[in-house]
Structures are given as C-alpha cells and as structure tokens.
C-alpha cells in the first residue's frame, strides 16, 4: 500500500466503523467517519502498517463508490428486480466471487493477472461456496426445492467479471449473463433494449 496514492473516495474500515480519506500529513493521514457526527481521526504511518495486520481493519480503494453500489444492492435496482430469477441468481453468485477477489487485491494478496489470481482461486472458491452453503442451510427446507451447484469460474473468467464490474462503476448489472443473440434487426432498424446493457 503506497501512502501517497490515497484518494478522496478511499474507504478505511476500523472495527466496523467506516472512514473516508481526508488528507495526508507528513507523519500520517487524517480520516473522517462517514456517519454523523463525522469525527476525524489521525493515524500515523507506523500505526497504519500495524493496522494492516489486524482482522478488524480493511482498506478499500475507491470504497465510497463501492459502498454506495453495495447499498443499492440491498434494495436492488429497478432493472435488476425485473430480470428473471435465474439471471439474478447468477449475477449475485458472480458478485460474491468478484467481491472476494477484490478483497485479495485490497489486501495486496493478489495481483491483477491470471497467474496471480489462479494461485488464490482455490481459497476464493472455498470461501464463496461456504458462504452460499450457510445461506442455504438458513432457509426452510421444502420438498421439491431445487438446489443448484454451479461450476466455479477460472482465473480468466473471474478477472473478466471483475474488470467489467469495476468499469461499470461497481454496478451488479455488469455481472448479469447475456445470451448471445442473432444479429437481426427489427422492422424499422430500431435496437431492442436489453437489461444487460442498462448500466
């Protein structure tokens, strides 16, 4: 983590409290809580290095933009809610993988190339699959309920999903699977709208 690279939208999470980067000082940084009363806090560079090793600390580059997108996910956008349930499920499943990979990037445990991602992929798959199993076990069991097991992505696919997600401003619509369609135009040449394109 290069201290000189901090930007205004960077997010610091300390024991569950979110802070945004405010300024850089000669001996450290100043962060401000994102929730009222917006208390400020000074952190020396030596303290910051120690915090990186603590489980209750997380640094998220451009995290304020991402946090906003994740909050939108709770309510789910109008377009996302209108999608068929199977496409929503795939997008949410991809989102879990992308966010877990992003956590590795943020912690400096992986680089943005296939070789590096392939090395951490088994751990990412294990984490995501465990999380989904826990979610399923919390649901009331019903006779006839379909439980799907998806083939996890390879490093190439996961990197592609992550790049699309980031390029779309962390919008989950970028992770919606799009079926390849024949290159046909309706009468009049008008283009047919498609939910995957609504970013």
């Amino acid at each position: 983590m290069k201290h000189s690279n901090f930007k205004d939208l960077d997010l610091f999470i300390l024991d569950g409290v979110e802070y945004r980067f405010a300024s850089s000082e000669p001996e450290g940084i100043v962060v401000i809580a994102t929730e009222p009363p917006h208390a400020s806090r000074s952190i020396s560079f030596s303290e910051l290095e120690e915090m990186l090793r603590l489980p209750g600390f997380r640094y998220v580059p451009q995290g304020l933009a991402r946090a906003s997108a994740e909050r939108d996910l709770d309510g789910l956008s109008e377009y996302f809610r209108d999608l068929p349930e199977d496409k929503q499920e795939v997008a949410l499943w991809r989102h879990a993988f992308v966010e877990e990979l992003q956590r590795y990037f943020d912690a400096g445990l992986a680089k943005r190339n296939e070789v590096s991602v392939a090395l951490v992929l088994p751990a990412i798959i294990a984490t995501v699959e465990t999380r989904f199993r826990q979610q399923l076990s919390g649901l009331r069991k019903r006779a006839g309920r379909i439980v799907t097991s998806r083939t996890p992505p390879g490093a190439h696919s996961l990197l592609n999903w992550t790049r699309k997600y980031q390029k779309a401003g962390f919008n989950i619509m970028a992770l919606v699977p799009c079926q390849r369609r024949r290159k046909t135009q309706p009468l009049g040449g008008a283009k047919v709208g498609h939910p995957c394109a609504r970013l």
Side-chain angles (χ1 to χ4, degrees), residues 3 27-28 43-51 53:
H3 306 137
E27 297 179 3
I43 304 173
S44 70
F45 290 131
S46 59
E47 287 176 324
L48 193 56
E49 293 300 327
E50 290 176 14
M51 286 179 176
R53 293 186 278 275

Side-chain angles (χ1 to χ4, degrees), residues 41-74:
R41 176 172 178 173
S42 296
I43 304 173
S44 70
F45 290 131
S46 59
E47 287 176 324
L48 193 56
E49 293 300 327
E50 290 176 14
M51 286 179 176
L52 285 172
R53 293 186 278 275
L54 298 177
F57 175 81
R58 187 176 175 201
Y59 164 64
V60 188
Q62 298 294 290
L64 288 178
R66 288 176 59 193
S68 174
E70 287 170 8
R71 279 192 291 273
D72 291 344
L73 191 62
D74 293 337

Side-chain angles (χ1 to χ4, degrees), residues 90-105:
V90 171
L92 290 167
W93 176 77
R94 289 179 176 181
H95 182 263
F97 275 97
V98 165
E99 279 298 307
E100 188 62 21
L101 176 59
Q102 188 63 52
R103 194 175 69 81
Y104 276 76
F105 288 155

Side-chain angles (χ1 to χ4, degrees), residues 147-184:
V147 179
T148 57
S149 177
R150 304 182 192 280
T151 303
H156 179 76
S157 293
L158 184 50
L159 266 176
N160 278 345
W161 296 348
T162 303
R163 288 168 182 152
K164 287 180 183 177
Y165 181 60
Q166 292 173 337
K167 189 175 180 180
F170 306 101
N171 188 325
I172 195 171
M173 291 299 291
L175 301 176
V176 173
C178 296
Q179 294 178 340
R180 294 188 182 277
R181 293 165 293 159
R182 294 176 185 171
K183 293 182 179 179
T184 57

Side-chain angles (χ1 to χ4, degrees), residues 117-130:
V117 171
L119 292 174
V120 298
L121 190 56
I124 291 173
I125 291 170
T127 299
V128 172
E129 290 185 343
T130 298

Side-chain angles (χ1 to χ4, degrees), residues 12-23:
F12 297 82
I13 303 173
L14 310 176
D15 296 321
V17 179
E18 294 184 356
Y19 296 85
R20 66 174 177 82
F21 174 72
S23 63

Side-chain angles (χ1 to χ4, degrees), residues 30-43:
V30 176
V31 295
I32 298 176
T34 59
E35 297 290 329
H38 304 293
S40 63
R41 176 172 178 173
S42 296
I43 304 173

